[in-house]
Amino acid sequence: VTQSDLKYYIEIISKESQNIDFKLYKDNEEIQLKNNKTDDIFFAKDTKTEHNYRLEIKCKNQENIGNIIDNIQIKVHSEQTKI
């Protein structure tokens, strides 16, 4: 629970981005990714909210799948919205 509105977006980073396709799901619904980033997602103040995500990774080159998965990062960028 926060005392001010909050917005965030999720970014998926991979050194092997040309060999990987990502699909991100929130509560079993696919979220569109643009350049491996979501649009802004908002939390209203004074509201308890939980979002569950699932990342689907499809590798075009199966030979190096272990190395590729080890180099994937998921970042969440957040900020309070102006009051």
Side-chain angles (χ1 to χ4, degrees):
V1 180
T2 66
Q3 294 179 349
S4 59
D5 293 339
L6 182 73
K7 72 176 180 179
Y8 71 97
Y9 69 91
I10 299 170
E11 179 179 17
I12 303 165
I13 300 169
S14 173
K15 294 177 185 175
E16 300 285 333
S17 59
Q18 69 275 8
N19 294 322
I20 302 175
D21 291 323
F22 297 109
K23 286 186 179 180
L24 184 65
Y25 297 87
K26 176 178 144 190
D27 302 323
N28 294 319
E29 290 188 29
E30 186 175 356
I31 297 176
Q32 293 298 316
L33 296 172
K34 297 174 189 164
N35 296 319
N36 291 339
K37 296 179 185 177
T38 65
D39 289 334
D40 287 340
I41 302 164
F42 295 91
F43 279 120
K45 66 180 179 181
D46 300 324
T47 305
K48 184 176 181 179
T49 305
E50 179 178 322
H51 294 168
N52 295 302
Y53 293 93
R54 178 174 55 92
L55 179 63
E56 184 178 293
I57 304 167
K58 291 193 177 186
C59 299
K60 297 173 187 169
N61 180 358
Q62 296 293 323
E63 295 173 10
N64 297 325
I65 194 165
N67 292 333
I68 291 171
I69 290 175
D70 287 343
N71 289 311
I72 294 172
Q73 295 180 350
I74 299 172
K75 292 189 175 186
V76 178
H77 304 268
S78 63
E79 66 181 67
Q80 293 180 344
T81 57
K82 296 184 172 53
I83 298 175

